[in-house]
Amino acid sequence: MDGFAAALTPINLLYALIGVTLGTLVGVLPGIGPAMTVALLLPVTFTVPPASAFIMFAGIYYGGMYGGSTTSILLNTPGESSSMITALEGNKMARRGRAAQALATAAIGSFVAGTIATALLVVAAPAVVAFAIMFGPEDYFALAILAFTAVSSVLSRSVVRGLASLSFGLVIGLVGIDQQTGQQRLTLGIPQLLDGIDVVIVAVGLFALGEALYVASRLRHATPEVIPVGRAYLGRADWARSWKPWLRGTALGFPFGALPGGGAEIPTFLSYAAEKKLARGVARAEYGKGAIEGVAGPEAANNASAAGTLVPLLTLGLPTSATAAILLAAFQQYGLQPGPQLFDHNPALVWAMIASLFIGNTMLLVLNLPLAPLWAKVLHVPRPYLYAGIVMFAALGVYALNASWVDLVVLFVLGLLGYAMRRFGLPVAPAVIGMILGPMAEVQLRRALAIGAGDAAVLVRSPIALTLLVLSALALLTPLFRKLMARRRGESVTAGTRPE
């Protein structure tokens, strides 16, 4: 209730409205997701009180999830990887003249899932905090290893590419002065790098600048074909076919979002597969041609996973998605460290942010249903102007941090690195997570070894640490095991069909 009292003040309501509007706007534009938007706005919010800034960031996060469905449905171009499944049936609905119904079921499903999942977050967060208080240094180190391995193996097409991206982030995190020995590390003799590379510069460079350069390199001059939208509404039959997929999608999305490396991609795919399997009659016949269940379920799963992601972020300081990694950077920008103590030391900020999710969800529903035709017109913004503006805005924001030309050089070097990573198929999220969690993992490892008098066995003496390290090994080995089994199956099929 204290959180609602803070979130309902006029200034915080204004920040929530700004957040959800910006989030929806950028979610609609292909290639600009919530992670990129929060990264771009990090330098701008230095003068904003922490609670107001996080209320705005939370609005951008949820708004970006909403907006991604608009691009998928009208352009068949998912703005986020989690919106890929929505495009399968959503775009086919739009081409059949049912774009309004597709956008409506996506918006209402997102509202239902977001509200239920935020309520689950309120219940789950204190329980996880009570458990996390028992963590020692070795447990936090094992938790960081789990985050590294899970994110590297889940958020990339191959484990090797994920680990390569992670190693870039770990190296960036080493730049500066070693806090225990006072030695300079990787500073190249540049005084401005003695304090390390600011996490805001890394986030803006790898996400915003890297994405802008990558998309700009693939710009097409022709204006994309946008399917016209009428007033977004649902008829009685559409309501009857949508409400069960909304609930099932929520049930799938929230727990997957809360898992390290779970993300929104897996639950959206599972939701689509489940709805297809459960479809009967007209719905079964419409699958592949524009079934409303194929939009309602995955969109609910997508938004429920967004709330689930906040559970490990707020209670353990563990980001499980790209946007969560940027939000963690935002906490560190304000000198705050998410984890069990955040709820004790900054309860007003945490509960105001969680309460604002309920308010933001309602604002998003009010914005998205009547303004769907307006969001569609945003897709006509010329891409060269859009991405040139992003590069300029990123440079101005980073220069404003310390008024240092070294920061600008580092920004553009990281931007080129982000472009190269996308060009060669390396995921960006593990690099950002490695840069943020790497120093924390190093500190906790040194503390654990100091407590154990240098004995490495201390890292596996705790049942919690041992369990987390076993889960880390499974996260790394499972994709390799699947590939090996698939190869053996392929060989057995080939052997079985070989002529005598």
Side-chain angles (χ1 to χ4, degrees):
M1 297 311 294
D2 286 342
F4 271 110
L8 287 170
T9 57
I11 188 67
N12 284 341
L13 283 174
L14 176 62
Y15 279 114
L17 182 61
I18 292 170
V20 297
T21 307
L22 278 175
T24 308
L25 179 65
V26 297
V28 165
L29 293 167
I32 308 181
M36 181 175 176
T37 313
V38 176
L40 272 173
L41 288 174
L42 278 180
V44 182
T45 54
F46 274 125
T47 56
V48 178
S52 301
F54 284 106
I55 285 171
M56 184 171 71
F57 289 151
I60 291 169
Y61 187 21
Y62 267 26
M65 293 293 182
Y66 266 68
S69 62
T70 304
T71 326
S72 299
I73 291 166
L74 299 183
L75 276 183
N76 199 25
T77 308
E80 288 275 297
S81 57
S82 54
S83 299
M84 288 188 295
I85 302 298
T86 304
L88 294 178
E89 299 297 326
N91 188 251
K92 290 184 174 67
M93 280 184 71
R95 293 188 180 282
R96 287 173 51 205
R98 283 172 53 79
Q101 288 79 8
L103 288 169
T105 194
I108 298 170
S110 296
F111 170 76
V112 171
T115 304
I116 295 173
T118 306
L120 292 173
L121 168 64
V122 172
V123 175
V128 177
V129 166
F131 171 68
I133 288 172
M134 300 184 291
F135 277 36
E138 66 278 7
D139 301 318
Y140 273 110
F141 173 70
L143 187 65
I145 296 297
L146 177 59
F148 294 154
T149 53
V151 170
S152 300
S153 59
V154 173
L155 295 184
S156 60
R157 285 177 286 178
S158 77
V159 176
V160 174
R161 291 183 181 190
L163 291 174
S165 173
L166 175 70
S167 65
F168 282 134
L170 292 173
V171 170
I172 294 169
L174 288 174
V175 176
I177 294 178
D178 183 352
Q179 297 299 317
Q180 291 195 344
T181 65
Q183 294 293 314
Q184 296 183 28
R185 301 193 294 193
L186 305 177
T187 59
L188 305 176
I190 302 172
Q192 288 89 340
L193 293 180
L194 291 175
D195 289 333
I197 299 175
D198 196 301
V199 69
V200 175
I201 300 173
V202 177
V204 175
L206 289 180
F207 269 101
L209 201 56
E211 183 72 26
L213 293 173
Y214 179 74
V215 176
S217 70
R218 282 160 170 70
L219 283 179
R220 290 179 173 83
H221 295 290
T223 305
E225 179 200 353
V226 183
I227 298 169
V229 184
R231 184 174 60 87
Y233 73 97
L234 287 180
R236 185 176 295 178
D238 293 325
W239 276 99
R241 290 175 58 180
S242 295
W243 71 271
K244 287 181 181 176
W246 291 337
L247 297 179
R248 284 192 287 259
T250 305
L252 282 169
F254 183 80
F256 269 96
L259 289 172
E265 293 81 4
I266 297 172
T268 51
F269 176 78
L270 289 176
S271 174
Y272 180 81
E275 296 308 325
K276 189 173 183 179
K277 194 172 182 67
L278 293 169
R280 298 287 182 272
V282 177
R284 180 176 284 276
E286 283 187 357
Y287 257 90
K289 302 171 187 173
I292 196 168
E293 292 87 350
V295 178
E299 272 304 301
N302 184 12
N303 280 267
S305 72
T309 297
L310 295 175
V311 175
L313 175 66
L314 295 175
T315 58
L316 301 171
L318 187 69
T320 59
S321 71
T323 314
I326 304 299
L327 286 173
L328 179 57
F331 275 105
Q332 292 182 348
Q333 170 186 297
Y334 282 99
L336 302 169
Q337 181 58 50
Q341 293 183 339
L342 185 69
F343 282 76
D344 289 334
H345 296 167
N346 301 93
L349 185 148
V350 177
W351 291 111
M353 178 182 172
I354 293 174
S356 75
L357 295 176
F358 289 103
I359 298 163
N361 252 321
T362 309
M363 286 181 174
L364 280 165
L365 187 65
V366 173
L367 275 175
N368 276 272
L369 286 178
L371 297 182
L374 179 64
W375 298 132
K377 288 180 181 176
V378 172
L379 293 167
H380 292 288
V381 174
R383 296 294 182 269
Y385 300 151
L386 179 67
Y387 289 101
I390 287 170
V391 172
M392 184 188 73
F393 192 59
L396 283 175
V398 165
Y399 185 74
L401 290 176
N402 302 306
S404 168
W405 64 269
V406 174
D407 287 350
L408 280 181
V409 173
V410 172
L411 171 72
F412 285 106
V413 169
L414 290 173
L416 290 172
L417 175 63
Y419 165 76
M421 289 172 72
R422 287 168 173 82
R423 171 69 181 79
F424 295 105
L426 271 69
V428 179
V432 177
I433 289 173
M435 184 266 171
I436 295 172
L437 290 186
M440 183 273 282
E442 181 188 12
V443 168
Q444 299 296 348
L445 173 63
R446 285 179 164 183
R447 283 180 185 168
L449 291 175
I451 291 169
D455 183 5
V458 72
L459 300 177
V460 291
R461 282 179 192 156
S462 161
I464 296 173
L466 184 60
T467 304
L468 292 172
L469 290 173
V470 169
L471 289 173
S472 303
L474 287 174
L476 274 181
L477 296 175
T478 302
L480 300 174
F481 180 71
R482 280 180 187 162
K483 283 186 180 178
L484 184 63
M485 292 299 292
R487 190 177 298 166
R488 283 189 176 178
R489 267 194 231 107
E491 287 173 359
S492 62
V493 169
T494 307
T497 55
R498 189 178 297 151
E500 295 180 6

